[in-house]
Amino acid sequence: MVEKKIKIVHIAEAFSTGIYTYLKDLTSYMIGLPNSDDFETVIIYSKRDVLDESKIANDFSQNVRFIKVQMTRNISPKSDFKSLLKLRGILKMERPDILHLHSSKAGVLGRIAATGIVKKSHIFYSPHGYAFLRQDISPTAQKIYQLIEKYVQFFFGGTTIGSGETELEFARKIGKTYFVRNGIDFKNQKFIEDSILKNNFTVGTIGVLHAQKNPSGFNEIAQKLPEVNFIWIGDGELRNQITAPNVKITGWIGSREELLSITSTFDVYLQVSLWEGLSIAILEAMALGKPIVASNIVGNKDSVVDSKTGFLVNSMDEAVLAIKKLQDNSLRAQMGKASYKHCKEFFDKDKNFDELVKIYKRA
């Protein structure tokens, strides 16, 4: 008798950058398991402007099925209702054994859509940075998002997967939670040493040029350090906020290998986001042995150990000071080694995703 496969359906409203990498690595890990035939994986995703859909076929196994459903990031009753009906119809057809939701919007729509279709105990939710932590919305909007999280959890259930210690603190106040750190693929982390010879000290970052990533703050730091090279890997609607002549914007990079190769040329990885989940980009840089200078916020505090693997900063002036300190070769090498070691110990995807799969199986 052939055993029924466990069907896992992921819903990702923000299917770009970090969540894209997370699902790519998770599905890759599961397909590599000895019992991979026990699982069937479907990803329901929404296209953001930064998503290059032509890459999906190369980045994901052909065993992963994709269904596109448009979802908006902000609250939009008309659009949200359409998305909800579409998701409910798909879930009725797919009948998942496990439903895993990624980002706040997917967490809300997915749990409502799954009512009566998927058992509450089989629904998991990864916030990847709660929406109520956003700094580009009013305090009133933050409170509304927080109440939505609380009451959707109360009425529609599900278990939150906290990816970092600070996110876990928020999650436990809302409802049932498991702790599974994000992870990255150390097996394919090939660029431990700089692959390009360069003369100038280089500071870089990866991300979408939008409010969350604080491009104006990044630009301010570059202006105060005119002798330093700055690189921004990515693009976005706030590109015009980068005006410093010592900043190069690369646009989006086509392959992970090229991305890591460029990142390996950084002397320091800089991320001055206004809010974050547990950043995959920071973890990638740590795995390359880079010291990190990052804003002292939820998410960043879960990966960067202040004064050991880099510096957590509360202002752009503090970031400038930290970068100046890291121009010391000895300190930079010391923090770079500590960064790699810390990342390897706590954020290896093989160890962390093994815990997630066990949670799936126990549901």
Side-chain angles (χ1 to χ4, degrees):
M1 182 178 177
V2 178
E3 288 190 17
K4 178 180 176 290
K5 287 189 175 186
I6 299 171
K7 182 184 282 189
I8 302 170
V9 173
H10 297 273
I11 301 179
E13 176 270 319
F15 191 53
S16 58
T17 56
I19 295 176
Y20 183 96
T21 302
Y22 178 91
L23 286 173
K24 175 171 67 71
D25 287 347
L26 174 59
T27 55
S28 171
Y29 170 76
M30 294 187 69
I31 286 166
L33 293 172
N35 60 339
S36 62
D37 289 343
D38 294 350
F39 301 100
E40 179 184 353
T41 302
V42 179
I43 295 177
I44 302 171
Y45 73 99
S46 178
K47 185 182 184 306
R48 288 268 184 97
D49 290 339
V50 297
L51 173 64
D52 182 356
E53 290 178 286
S54 66
K55 290 173 58 182
I56 291 175
N58 292 326
D59 288 343
F60 288 83
S61 165
Q62 60 183 4
N63 295 326
V64 179
R65 228 167 5 101
F66 287 88
I67 302 171
K68 184 159 69 171
V69 173
Q70 197 55 42
M71 291 172 267
T72 59
R73 183 187 186 202
N74 295 314
I75 296 173
S76 170
K78 183 178 179 181
S79 177
D80 291 343
F81 185 67
K82 286 181 180 178
S83 301
L84 180 64
L85 292 180
K86 184 74 173 172
L87 289 171
R88 186 161 177 81
I90 293 168
L91 293 177
K92 280 182 178 179
M93 288 182 59
E94 295 293 338
R95 295 285 168 178
D97 300 294
I98 298 292
L99 180 63
H100 194 159
L101 311 166
H102 303 270
S103 81
S104 293
K105 177 57 74 75
V108 172
L109 295 181
R111 281 182 285 191
I112 297 172
T115 303
I117 301 171
V118 185
K119 292 180 182 179
K120 290 181 180 180
S121 60
H122 291 199
I123 299 174
F124 300 95
Y125 164 49
S126 292
H128 300 285
Y130 280 110
F132 57 76
L133 297 174
R134 286 171 54 182
Q135 298 300 302
D136 62 336
I137 55 177
S138 68
T140 301
Q142 289 174 341
K143 187 64 178 175
I144 290 170
Y145 281 132
Q146 196 164 13
L147 289 172
I148 289 171
E149 291 279 1
K150 180 180 177 180
Y151 286 108
V152 168
Q153 174 75 29
F154 180 79
F155 287 109
F156 299 98
T159 302
T160 301
I161 305 291
S163 63
E165 284 88 346
T166 49
E167 185 173 81
L168 186 68
E169 289 177 23
F170 287 108
R172 282 177 171 162
K173 293 174 184 175
I174 294 170
K176 184 179 177 182
T177 306
Y178 287 121
F179 182 38
V180 181
R181 286 187 175 92
N182 280 358
I184 62 165
D185 187 359
F186 272 85
K187 288 178 189 171
N188 295 318
Q189 203 80 6
K190 299 173 183 175
F191 300 96
I192 300 303
E193 300 296 333
D194 288 0
S195 60
I196 301 173
L197 293 174
K198 57 184 176 55
N199 297 318
N200 290 357
F201 190 85
T202 301
V203 174
T205 196
I206 303 169
V208 185
L209 279 156
H210 62 190
Q212 178 189 3
K213 300 299 181 182
N214 193 16
S216 63
F218 186 91
N219 189 70
E220 180 185 336
I221 294 165
Q223 287 175 326
K224 291 177 177 178
L225 293 167
E227 75 285 359
V228 174
N229 282 343
F230 285 81
I231 295 177
W232 188 301
I233 299 176
D235 213 333
E237 73 274 12
L238 297 184
R239 185 187 180 105
N240 62 348
Q241 290 190 2
I242 302 294
T243 59
N246 54 329
V247 180
K248 177 184 177 182
I249 301 173
T250 67
W252 292 109
I253 302 300
S255 68
R256 184 174 190 270
E257 288 73 20
E258 188 182 356
L259 176 70
L260 294 180
S261 185
I262 295 174
T263 307
S264 73
T265 69
F266 298 168
D267 293 290
V268 173
Y269 186 87
L270 173 65
Q271 187 153 303
V272 287
S273 311
L274 300 177
W275 71 95
E276 275 290 351
L278 184 59
S279 168
I280 295 289
I282 284 181
L283 298 183
E284 295 276 19
M286 291 176 75
L288 290 169
K290 304 301 173 184
I292 311 297
V293 175
S295 44
N296 187 20
I297 57 171
V298 172
N300 291 349
K301 291 192 288 187
D302 295 332
S303 55
V304 181
V305 183
D306 189 37
S307 300
K308 182 180 178 182
T309 67
F311 296 101
L312 292 168
V313 298
N314 297 296
S315 68
M316 302 311 107
D317 285 337
E318 284 189 17
V320 169
L321 215 67
I323 292 168
K324 286 181 177 178
K325 286 180 183 178
L326 287 166
Q327 287 178 314
D328 178 272
N329 293 339
S330 176
L331 178 63
R332 191 168 68 253
Q334 176 189 325
M335 285 192 162
K337 286 178 181 177
S339 197
Y340 175 86
K341 184 178 178 182
H342 183 74
C343 189
K344 178 65 176 169
E345 182 178 356
F346 293 105
F347 302 104
D348 186 333
K349 80 172 179 66
D350 287 351
K351 290 191 295 185
N352 297 346
F353 287 157
D354 180 60
E355 289 300 313
L356 183 60
V357 172
K358 287 176 182 175
I359 290 170
Y360 287 164
K361 288 180 174 179
R362 289 199 302 266

